[in-house]
Amino acid sequence: MLAPFGVANGFLASLGLLDANAAIAWLGDPATALGSVTAMNVWRAFPFFMVMLLAGLQAIPRQLYEAAEIDGASLFRQFWHVTLPQLRGVIMTVVLLDSIWTFRAFDPVFVMTGGGPAHASEVLATAIYFDGFQKLKFGYASAQAVVMFTVLFVVSAIYLRRAMSSAQ
């Protein structure tokens, strides 16, 4: 899809946003490599998060919308004051899971770009791999992994504290 004459360039050319003979090297250009990997990572996680949000939407009682409608709330007000507050837990869970999965993302970066070109798409997980297994700096890679774990642990602890306080 992201090859120089692949689907992405063909789609942009059909929209007239790109010359038909021009080709963008999405994964070979340092300016677009990380964005391409990020777009693929979002595309990969999108169905799971949409199912989570759909389940959250289906769990909202219809009576809340009926009460808001009787009170004269517009569709925007119903969304803002009924839907979003009822989805807060689901949204917080989705954001936490996405943050953790993105922060520790190794496989999409390694498979698509190997951290290149010129380290443009390198993330902490690939840096840990390269430092530990390519450069054989096991202590440094272990320290990086501990920092990554600490950051994810703190973020998760903050999330759990907020989730537990709002549940009571």
Side-chain angles (χ1 to χ4, degrees), residues 5-78:
F5 292 100
V7 175
N9 286 331
F11 179 70
L12 291 175
S14 69
L15 293 176
L17 299 174
L18 185 66
D19 183 27
N21 297 325
I24 298 173
W26 295 100
L27 300 174
D29 184 4
T32 58
L34 186 59
S36 300
V37 173
T38 301
M40 187 284 307
N41 201 30
V42 168
W43 183 262
R44 181 177 71 161
F46 189 77
F48 175 73
F49 295 133
M50 285 298 104
V51 168
M52 294 268 301
L53 289 170
L54 178 62
L57 284 170
Q58 290 176 341
I60 298 173
R62 180 72 190 134
Q63 293 85 354
L64 295 176
Y65 292 107
E66 291 171 0
E69 192 175 323
I70 289 170
D71 288 342
S74 66
L75 288 177
F76 177 76
R77 291 242 182 225
Q78 289 179 24

Side-chain angles (χ1 to χ4, degrees), residues 107-162:
D107 48 332
V109 176
F110 189 75
V111 168
M112 292 177 74
T113 64
H119 302 284
S121 64
E122 192 170 285
V123 294
L124 184 57
T126 56
I128 291 169
Y129 170 78
F130 289 129
D131 287 337
F133 297 107
Q134 300 290 321
K135 299 176 186 173
L136 301 177
K137 297 180 181 179
F138 296 113
Y140 186 65
S142 295
Q144 289 174 318
V146 168
V147 167
M148 184 167 91
F149 168 77
T150 304
V151 169
L152 291 175
F153 181 78
V154 167
V155 169
S156 299
I158 291 170
Y159 164 76
L160 285 174
R161 178 165 286 222
R162 283 189 164 192

